[in-house]
Amino acid sequence: MTRKRLLLLILCIWAVVGLLALVLQCATGGSNPLLGEPSAYPRLSYGLSMASAMFTILACYYLVRRQQSGGIFQRLLLLLVPAVLTVLDYYFFFDSGMIACLPVLAVVSAMMFIKKES
């Protein structure tokens, strides 16, 4: 896969996440979370936060340590899943605790592009 195609795919992944965030921002109106307070759904809130954190850790480990294993689409999917879970966690409950996962995934995607080009 060429560098341009890889960069285009990585940018498409982040465009999908940005589009999802934009749609959810319009759906919430920026004032009320989609599902209400986390105390109304404590297990869902906790489960979604833990899934977001665990998928981020797993994706970062896999993408940084195992550069050559797996196909490119599998690796891009590993970027997409935790990013989508993080955005959903934020807009479902307005819980900003997991938002820090997004910059971490951005750094990993940049590392993936830099490693792939050399």
Side-chain angles (χ1 to χ4, degrees), residues 49-61 78 81-83 85 105:
S49 292
M50 290 307 295
S52 175
M54 290 302 140
F55 273 113
T56 301
I57 292 168
L58 178 73
C60 291
Y61 173 78
L78 275 173
V81 170
L85 284 175
L105 289 169

Side-chain angles (χ1 to χ4, degrees), residues 31-59:
S31 60
N32 295 326
L34 288 174
L35 294 180
E37 292 297 317
S39 60
Y41 302 96
R43 289 186 179 134
L44 179 63
S45 173
Y46 180 74
L48 196 56
S49 292
M50 290 307 295
S52 175
M54 290 302 140
F55 273 113
T56 301
I57 292 168
L58 178 73

Side-chain angles (χ1 to χ4, degrees), residues 36-98:
E37 292 297 317
S39 60
Y41 302 96
R43 289 186 179 134
L44 179 63
S45 173
Y46 180 74
L48 196 56
S49 292
M50 290 307 295
S52 175
M54 290 302 140
F55 273 113
T56 301
I57 292 168
L58 178 73
C60 291
Y61 173 78
Y62 185 81
L63 292 172
V64 170
R65 298 288 290 175
R66 310 224 181 225
Q67 285 287 326
Q68 302 304 323
S69 60
I72 188 65
F73 293 110
Q74 175 189 4
R75 293 167 60 211
L76 290 174
L77 186 64
L78 275 173
L79 281 175
L80 182 64
V81 170
V84 167
L85 284 175
T86 301
V87 169
L88 289 177
D89 181 41
Y90 177 73
Y91 282 104
F92 280 173
F93 301 108
F94 280 170
D95 178 20
S96 61
M98 291 292 127

Side-chain angles (χ1 to χ4, degrees), residues 18-38:
L19 185 64
L20 175 66
L22 183 66
V23 167
L24 290 174
Q25 178 68 25
C26 291
T28 61
S31 60
N32 295 326
L34 288 174
L35 294 180
E37 292 297 317

